[in-house]
Amino acid sequence: MRLFLDTANIDDIRRCAAMGVVSGVTTNPTLLAKEGVEYRDRILEICEVVDGPISAEGVALTADELVEEGRRIASWHESVVVKVAMTEPGLEAISRLAAEGISTNCTLIFSANQVLLAARAGATFVSPFVGRLDDGGQDGMEMVREAVQILETFHLPAQVLAASLRHTRHVTEAALAGAHVATVPPAVLLQMVKHPLTDAGIERFLADSTNYSAV
Ligand code: E4P
């Protein structure tokens, strides 16, 4: 499973990318709004830091407008993937953009049927939102498991991008479910690095290394 960062914060992206574990980035209008920067400028900055798919979201509401917006967003940089919400015009836009060779990420997916539709329309990535379903008392990860099974059964090339992940256990479960990608907030990725026994082990080794010379 590849790890994408779910943020538009360039400092967090630089810090996490330096560890060599980040294969892409997802953004959305909410994440961008927190940064107070121009959308295109920030996407281009991110493309300079991370060599991989960078999702940038369209906000138009009709298929024609979404296609036009998608073409414009895709022209910013070869790494850009156009994020399109799961709606009827969104599916039409995804299929028309796919026919032009433009990569898309179908977002705001909350059911396995929506996964099937997005994959059939030609989405490159399908993004089931785990945390938001969990918030409503459902099992969001079950949707990821179903998504992986459906795409594998019918040999559909779309990749399952587990989204709306809120904690480290979500990441493990997405990997066990066979998700191709998990997009992870920086705080969760940094938490994945840590374990109290690692810290205790380092402390002990440091305390015991008084007569130790590594060189
Ligand atoms: C990523 O593509 C999504 O926009 C993001 O994971 C949503 O996460 P949230 O439900 O925590 O806002």
Side-chain angles (χ1 to χ4, degrees), residues 5-7 25-31 34 55 57 83 105 107-108 110 127-133 135 161-166 183-185:
L5 265 190
D6 198 20
T7 184
V25 175
T26 53
T27 66
N28 63 37
T30 307
L31 294 171
K34 286 182 195 163
S55 287
E57 191 153 345
K83 229 173 162 190
N105 171 358
T107 188
L108 288 167
F110 293 96
S127 288
F129 274 39
V130 175
R132 293 192 196 185
L133 266 190
D135 291 345
L161 195 168
S164 187
L165 303 182
R166 303 276 171 74
T183 190
V184 183

Side-chain angles (χ1 to χ4, degrees), residues 127-185:
S127 288
F129 274 39
V130 175
R132 293 192 196 185
L133 266 190
D134 286 359
D135 291 345
Q138 287 179 260
D139 180 2
M141 202 55 72
E142 180 59 18
M143 175 177 50
V144 174
R145 285 188 280 272
E146 289 176 349
V148 169
Q149 193 179 335
I150 288 168
L151 298 189
E152 279 178 2
T153 301
F154 299 105
H155 307 291
L156 293 166
Q159 296 189 44
V160 175
L161 195 168
S164 187
L165 303 182
R166 303 276 171 74
H167 49 74
T168 54
R169 187 65 200 166
H170 268 159
V171 183
T172 307
E173 287 175 2
L176 291 171
H180 303 89
V181 185
T183 190
V184 183

